Amino acid sequence: MTSAHVAAFVAGPQPTVFIVNVIHAHPGKQEQAFSAIQDVVHYVARTKQGFLWSNLSKSTDGKTVVNIEAISGANKVDEFFSDPVFLEKFRRLDEVSTSEFHTYRVDDLVLPGA
């Protein structure tokens, strides 16, 4: 039997790993940058075990796009980047932006009333 991951926030002690892509769009290229990262994330969602969910956002000033993505473990990053299709899609960001890619593990979850 295989275990399935459920997309959800967890308020307990279960560790959560996030990928955060901050994408600085070239002038006038925010929509293209959003489309490029959207293509990457939808590919990962369809094909990669360990993907939990993603939040794709565009800044209101037209300059940045952010992908906050929950994954089942930090080891998944190497797996994603070893896929040639993923790499081809991810590199399309370079045509319309510069970007920062970081992996985070949650150390403190603060909820209302805490």
Side-chain angles (χ1 to χ4, degrees), residues 41-104:
V41 171
H42 282 258
Y43 173 75
V44 169
R46 284 190 318 273
T47 64
K48 302 297 179 195
Q49 293 255 341
F51 173 87
L52 301 176
W53 56 262
S54 174
N55 177 330
L56 294 168
S57 304
K58 293 182 260 186
S59 65
T60 57
D61 63 9
K63 295 180 180 181
T64 59
V65 174
V66 175
N67 171 35
I68 302 172
E69 182 174 317
I71 59 174
S72 62
N75 62 325
K76 295 297 180 182
V77 174
D78 291 336
E79 182 182 319
F80 294 173
F81 278 96
S82 68
D83 176 348
V85 174
F86 172 90
L87 278 175
E88 178 185 332
K89 291 176 178 296
F90 195 81
R91 287 183 181 139
R92 290 184 190 145
L93 284 169
D94 294 339
E95 299 169 11
V96 294
S97 66
T98 59
S99 62
E100 302 171 46
F101 181 96
H102 301 279
T103 304
Y104 297 91

Side-chain angles (χ1 to χ4, degrees), residues 8-20 52-53 68-74 102-111:
F9 286 99
V10 177
Q14 180 179 0
T16 304
V17 175
F18 292 97
I19 301 301
V20 178
L52 301 176
W53 56 262
I68 302 172
E69 182 174 317
I71 59 174
S72 62
H102 301 279
T103 304
Y104 297 91
R105 184 175 316 280
V106 174
D107 288 324
D108 185 18
L109 176 63
V110 180
L111 300 171

